[in-house]
Amino acid sequence: MKAFLILEDGTVFAGTSIGSEREIISEIVFNTSMTGYLEVLTDPSYAGQAVVMTYPLIGNYGITPDMESRKAWPDGYIVRELSRMPSNFRCEGTIQKFLKEQDIPGIAGIDTRALTKILREKGTMNGMITTNEAYDLEEVIPKLKAYRIGDVVSKASCTESYVLPGEGCKVALMDFGAKNNIAKSLNIRGCEVTIYPAHTAAREIIDSRPDGIMLSNGPGDPETNVSIIEEIKQLSNTDIPIFAICLGHQLMALAHGAKTYKLKYGHRGGNHPVKDLSTGRVYISSQNHGYAVDASTIEEGIAKEAFVNVNDGTNEGLAYIGKDIFTVQFHPEACPGPQDSGYLFDRFIQMMKDRKEREDA
């Protein structure tokens, strides 16, 4: 069956329908990862977006036991070529079947290189995936321009708290759309991790007496999470160590009076270099975000830049002055992507242990 991708600037790509045949309007973004397509599909940060995979062949190792959340989140999926014969000893099915089961519409057989160039030159834009050959551009384009992602954090978060048992430090993880490997990265280091829904009150977290608090990744515009930002302000006024990733990094900055802004086409992929300003060392990182913290709006004495993006100089991390709080824009838990910065979890655990020692002294 034919399918069409229509962009809000009027550009149309024709290809073949994959997955669900329903029509969707979404924000079109691209990911440069060469592997890990299942982790991309199950990353809650993609809620409200349709993903273009720049790597030309997708699905060659099928569906494996590597889901990063309970379901797939993108509104749509766009690829150059979909492998019809997956081969891997862990393969449990095809990506075609997975997309249908998850009710995700997609399109294959289009020039994803040309599409990515358009998104880089003109910036991220909205688009429609449809199998309707009788589409009317004059009717479609106003709908595309009117599309807004909305409150996707509430949809992506868990609905009730749960615990991953451990014998070490107790961590409260705020789930704004968390990838599974964040909790797992703490749990395999011995931590007991309690995962809380996004709108949990700060008082409930504080009263549980955690050794540390983790703020997760998540989808959407950070500035729309007004009530969550107010709760984070309360959390940051305690002496509990806090580590935040991606959306959590942005929300912590907003809670301290900084501003965020939308990037032209975002950072999504497993090959983004970030520089640790304390050591000068550069790490290759996994990233998935369309917004960034404006470093120029951070008040002196509140926080200092800890990491910057080597490609475009955007902020990639903050260390808060006089507090046990540090935040990063990238994903030290990866999945997919390099695990160069996984040591940040060890730094967080050491912060929690140091606080315990001070209290016991």
Side-chain angles (χ1 to χ4, degrees), residues 71-83:
K71 63 186 284 289
W73 291 97
D75 290 334
Y77 202 54
I78 303 159
V79 301
R80 175 68 183 91
E81 181 181 350
L82 206 62
S83 173

Side-chain angles (χ1 to χ4, degrees), residues 10-257:
T11 303
V12 178
F13 291 88
T16 304
S17 174
I18 56 175
S20 171
E21 295 174 11
R22 65 186 176 90
E23 184 175 278
I24 61 101
I25 294 176
S26 189
E27 183 179 68
I28 311 299
V29 301
F30 64 88
N31 185 297
T32 59
S33 297
M34 293 190 291
T35 185
Y37 50 79
L38 181 61
E39 292 92 332
V40 169
L41 280 166
T42 54
D43 182 345
S45 292
Y46 284 113
Q49 298 175 325
V51 184
V52 182
M53 299 300 292
T54 63
Y55 191 72
L57 179 63
I58 299 297
N60 55 309
Y61 54 86
I63 296 301
T64 53
D66 300 310
M67 290 187 54
E68 278 297 307
S69 65
R70 64 185 183 275
K71 63 186 284 289
W73 291 97
D75 290 334
Y77 202 54
I78 303 159
V79 301
R80 175 68 183 91
E81 181 181 350
L82 206 62
S83 173
R84 300 296 174 182
M85 297 180 65
S87 177
N88 186 276
F89 72 100
R90 300 169 71 236
C91 178
E92 297 177 347
T94 66
I95 191 170
Q96 297 95 317
K97 182 180 178 183
F98 180 79
L99 291 172
K100 286 184 178 180
E101 290 173 345
Q102 297 288 320
D103 195 28
I104 296 178
I107 182 170
I110 70 167
D111 188 343
T112 50
R113 182 171 179 171
L115 173 56
T116 302
K117 284 184 176 180
I118 290 172
L119 297 177
R120 281 180 60 92
E121 291 168 4
K122 297 186 177 181
T124 295
M125 63 181 82
N126 297 334
M128 171 187 283
I129 297 175
T130 181
T131 57
N132 178 16
E133 296 186 41
Y135 63 83
D136 184 340
L137 276 181
E138 291 186 2
E139 291 182 4
V140 171
I141 290 177
K143 294 179 181 178
L144 299 183
K145 292 183 177 179
Y147 173 78
R148 297 292 182 271
I149 290 180
D151 179 17
V152 278
V153 167
S154 296
K155 296 177 183 177
S157 177
C158 61
T159 54
E160 50 187 48
S161 61
Y162 59 99
V163 180
L164 298 182
E167 300 298 323
C169 296
K170 292 173 57 178
V171 178
L173 170 58
M174 296 293 291
D175 177 10
F176 305 132
K179 292 165 64 181
N180 288 342
N181 206 42
I182 293 177
K184 183 179 177 182
S185 295
L186 292 165
N187 195 228
I188 61 175
R189 288 170 168 82
C191 296
E192 176 186 293
V193 185
T194 304
I195 297 89
Y196 290 91
H199 293 280
T200 302
R203 178 45 54 189
E204 181 179 341
I205 302 291
I206 296 166
D207 288 347
S208 70
R209 300 180 63 82
D211 297 313
I213 299 170
M214 183 97 216
L215 307 182
S216 83
N217 65 292
D221 181 347
E223 291 186 358
T224 63
N225 298 285
V226 178
S227 62
I228 294 175
I229 291 168
E230 289 302 314
E231 300 302 322
I232 290 175
K233 286 181 182 178
Q234 295 181 49
L235 294 175
S236 65
N237 285 332
T238 69
D239 63 351
I240 304 171
I242 300 176
F243 178 27
I245 290 172
C246 200
L247 179 63
H249 157 75
Q250 297 163 2
L251 296 177
M252 181 62 75
L254 290 167
H256 284 81

Side-chain angles (χ1 to χ4, degrees), residues 172-351:
L173 170 58
M174 296 293 291
D175 177 10
F176 305 132
K179 292 165 64 181
N180 288 342
N181 206 42
I182 293 177
K184 183 179 177 182
S185 295
L186 292 165
N187 195 228
I188 61 175
R189 288 170 168 82
C191 296
E192 176 186 293
V193 185
T194 304
I195 297 89
Y196 290 91
H199 293 280
T200 302
R203 178 45 54 189
E204 181 179 341
I205 302 291
I206 296 166
D207 288 347
S208 70
R209 300 180 63 82
D211 297 313
I213 299 170
M214 183 97 216
L215 307 182
S216 83
N217 65 292
D221 181 347
E223 291 186 358
T224 63
N225 298 285
V226 178
S227 62
I228 294 175
I229 291 168
E230 289 302 314
E231 300 302 322
I232 290 175
K233 286 181 182 178
Q234 295 181 49
L235 294 175
S236 65
N237 285 332
T238 69
D239 63 351
I240 304 171
I242 300 176
F243 178 27
I245 290 172
C246 200
L247 179 63
H249 157 75
Q250 297 163 2
L251 296 177
M252 181 62 75
L254 290 167
H256 284 81
K259 301 293 183 183
T260 58
Y261 63 98
K262 190 170 186 177
L263 295 166
K264 185 177 180 180
Y265 47 82
H267 298 157
R268 298 175 181 89
N271 56 354
H272 292 264
V274 296
K275 185 176 183 179
D276 185 337
L277 296 180
S278 65
T279 64
R281 184 172 179 178
V282 174
Y283 299 89
I284 301 302
S285 69
S286 174
Q287 301 199 13
N288 175 16
H289 62 102
Y291 292 81
V293 173
D294 184 348
S296 69
T297 64
I298 301 165
E299 289 187 27
E300 189 175 351
I302 296 294
K304 62 180 180 179
E305 280 199 282
F307 290 88
V308 295
N309 189 292
V310 176
N311 289 335
D312 60 14
T314 54
N315 177 260
E316 292 283 358
L318 293 170
Y320 287 79
I321 298 169
K323 296 183 177 182
D324 283 339
I325 301 175
F326 75 100
T327 68
V328 293
Q329 181 63 77
F330 51 94
H331 287 265
E333 87 290 347
C335 286
Q339 298 179 355
D340 296 28
S341 55
Y343 73 93
L344 294 174
F345 289 104
D346 299 314
R347 179 189 294 181
F348 179 45
I349 290 171
Q350 190 59 52
M351 285 170 57

